[in-house]
Amino acid sequence: MIMESIQVMGVQGLPLIQEGDNIPALICEQIPVQDGDIISIASTIWSKSKGYTKALSLFTPSERALRLAKLNGEDPRFVQSVLDASSDIIMEHPFILSELSFGHIGVRAGVDQSNIDDGMVIFLPRDPMAAADECRKDIKKITGNNVGVIITDTCGRSFRRGQTGNAIGWSGFTAIRDFRGDTDLFGHVLKITEEAVVDEIAGFANFVMGESNNGVPAVVFRNCPVWAGHDNLYFTKEEDITRKLLKKTL
Ligand code: GDP
Ligand code: MN
Ligand code: MN
């Protein structure tokens, strides 16, 4: 028996996104979305559409920004933008590792200087879960179809070289597919396995988007199987061993 093929479609033809642009409407103009589709959207275009951008010249570096800029060889105004975006600093050197208020931990708070005009920075969406929810509801309004939405960002990771796409917001399904309690092919009960499905989809979406000048900031997945689980994607501070080690609180 062959499973129905999953279709993966990069959304071509989107403009350079400006503040005020309606991302769900622009995507629906380019691609006829169907019931059950999963739409991955690069955080960078969501942020641009909401005006979460700022000119570097508008940042006045604090003492800490000046110190970290010197330590890491970066522009003090950029470092200040990273500090502004962070709810906590997990590590200062050799790069700033930040926690954001919505639970994500990322290098330089996910502040980007690419795919925007010179001298500008793009912040991550302030509330990516709400962003995904807004997109899903807008697409339902425009097309009448129920879709799932994932807001992605390209992130580094521990232990391995290379960046991959991560989900920072999602709506329409759970982040995790929970296998605990299932039995494997040999009848063993699975005790640990929680599959981070939203990150797996975000990873493939990121592959289709590319990082530079593809101009493909959204990807549609069709015919994905459905799954069930929970939304506790981020470790709590208590659970997160890496965070504790880096903050030297273990
Ligand atoms: P991030 O992973 O969310 O930080 O976003 P990237 O800067 O890596 O961009 C992801 C994809 O979206 C790449 O294919 C970019 O070329 C594309 N992209 C970024 N901004 C825009 C935009 O304003 N319009 C269009 N059409 N594509 C964009
Ligand atoms: Mn990014
Ligand atoms: Mn990217």
Side-chain angles (χ1 to χ4, degrees), residues 169-223:
W170 57 91
S171 178
F173 35 65
T174 61
I176 300 251
R177 178 182 182 185
D178 198 345
F179 279 100
R180 291 172 299 175
D182 268 19
T183 45
D184 71 7
L185 291 170
F186 293 84
H188 308 126
V189 177
L190 299 180
K191 297 196 183 108
I192 293 175
T193 313
E194 299 171 88
E195 183 185 10
V197 182
V198 286
D199 282 336
E200 294 178 307
I201 296 172
F204 202 85
N206 197 87
F207 168 61
V208 177
M209 290 174 188
E211 296 300 334
S212 50
N213 57 9
N214 266 17
V216 177
V219 179
V220 176
F221 293 79
R222 190 159 292 162
N223 291 332

Side-chain angles (χ1 to χ4, degrees), residues 11 16 62 67 70 74-75 84 98 108-109 133 139 144 150 157-158 171 176 182 192 208 213 219 225 228 232 240 245:
V11 181
L16 281 177
S62 61
R67 178 172 63 80
K70 206 165 169 199
E74 287 177 322
D75 182 329
D84 287 357
S98 307
R108 299 181 191 91
D133 221 35
I139 292 172
I150 298 178
R157 59 228 171 117
S158 310
S171 178
I176 300 251
D182 268 19
I192 293 175
V208 177
N213 57 9
V219 179
N232 303 323
D240 193 336
L245 279 168

Side-chain angles (χ1 to χ4, degrees), residues 236-247:
T236 63
K237 285 196 173 86
E238 238 353 271
E239 291 168 317
D240 193 336
I241 293 166
T242 318
R243 188 184 194 284
K244 281 186 191 169
L245 279 168
L246 290 170
K247 295 274 290 184

